[in-house]
Amino acid sequence: MSMNRYLTFALAKGRLANQTLELFEEMGIACEEMRDKNTRKLIFVNEEWKLKFFLAKGPDVPTYVEYGAADIGVAGRDTVLEENRNVYEVLDLGFGKCRMCVCGPEAAGDLLLHHERIRVASKYPNIARDYFYNKKHQTVDIIKLNGSVELGPLVGLSDVIVDIVETGSTLRENGLDVLEEVCGLSARMIVNPVAMQMERERIQELVLGLREKLSRQAARAEARRGV
Ligand code: PRP
């Protein structure tokens, strides 16, 4: 195994990066300085394991990985699908669970049944297009928004939205419903194809370690729930 080269990770900043780092810490791979809330440093190194971590905006993570600026990335499945980069998806980390859904006022449910040409607002135009054109075979107009997508049907910009639903409270508080589920989402680990060839052993060892850790955690959680 070549330990001369650093393996570089791009992590989607926020909750996903924090949970990923916690997982690494539980495996004995700590990066103390990265957890300092006041730090403005962008790159953190673990010399023992020869690992480098940096925090990036979620949608940029697959870009860093495709170009090889990071060997490995952690981002939500929403981002991985939307960016559709040339990367391998190697692991479902299980956290950050939520759903990608078509949402709108209850009455808009009918518009989804009759192949009508409707307006769909989304922060995820590629996912929305794939769902309507390839899965539902419905021609729609996609309108890209950058956030607060629930406004779409509320102010008459769109008939429905395609957006992430986690607790459902944003929908509830704005009088909107889940009309159809597009897919389930959670944090995914992605790998650069060249790094996968060059550093196969180290990457496989890491993925295996993480997978074991995650399945032990899942078994403990099930036992606690008395399943
Ligand atoms: C996300 C998503 C929904 C909301 C869903 O928005 O786009 O609006 O969270 O969560 P909930 O089901 O628990 O209410 P985010 O907070 O990322 O902000 P944004 O609207 O600016 O995208």
Side-chain angles (χ1 to χ4, degrees), residues 15 98-99 123-124 145-150 161-174:
R15 258 194 303 175
C98 47
R99 299 181 295 156
K123 216 158 77 168
Y124 302 91
L145 287 178
N146 293 299
S148 302
V149 178
E150 289 83 359
I161 60 172
V162 168
D163 199 20
I164 290 173
V165 178
E166 191 179 354
T167 62
S169 58
T170 311
L171 291 180
R172 266 193 305 279
E173 287 182 30
N174 291 289

Side-chain angles (χ1 to χ4, degrees), residues 101-105 108-109 111-112 115-123 125 128-129 132-133 138-145 149-163 179:
C101 298
V102 181
C103 311
L111 303 173
L112 301 172
H115 289 87
E116 295 195 36
R117 183 157 187 149
I118 56 172
R119 288 198 286 187
V120 180
S122 186
K123 216 158 77 168
R129 192 170 299 108
F132 276 97
Y133 280 73
Q138 181 171 0
T139 302
V140 297
D141 295 316
I142 310 275
I143 303 169
K144 161 93 195 268
L145 287 178
V149 178
E150 289 83 359
L151 278 172
L154 297 179
V155 302
L157 175 71
S158 69
D159 299 292
V160 297
I161 60 172
V162 168
D163 199 20
L179 303 173

Side-chain angles (χ1 to χ4, degrees), residues 6-14 16-18 20-21 24 31 33-34 39-46 51-75 190:
Y6 286 95
L7 272 186
T8 301
F9 285 72
L11 307 178
K13 46 175 159 186
L16 291 193
N18 292 342
T20 307
L21 291 169
F24 275 109
C31 243
E33 47 177 0
M34 198 160 179
T39 187
R40 304 292 293 167
K41 268 187 93 159
L42 295 172
I43 302 176
F44 304 89
V45 181
N46 179 303
L51 301 179
K52 274 187 196 173
F53 297 90
F54 65 83
L55 302 181
K57 280 268 187 196
D60 293 338
V61 167
T63 313
Y64 285 109
V65 176
E66 181 182 90
Y67 284 93
D71 301 298
I72 299 174
V74 174
I190 53 175

Side-chain angles (χ1 to χ4, degrees), residues 2 5 192-203:
S2 99
R5 183 180 172 279
N192 171 274
V194 177
M196 195 62 172
Q197 297 297 322
M198 308 293 284
E199 299 285 345
R200 181 174 293 275
E201 252 183 84
R202 283 176 79 194
I203 293 174

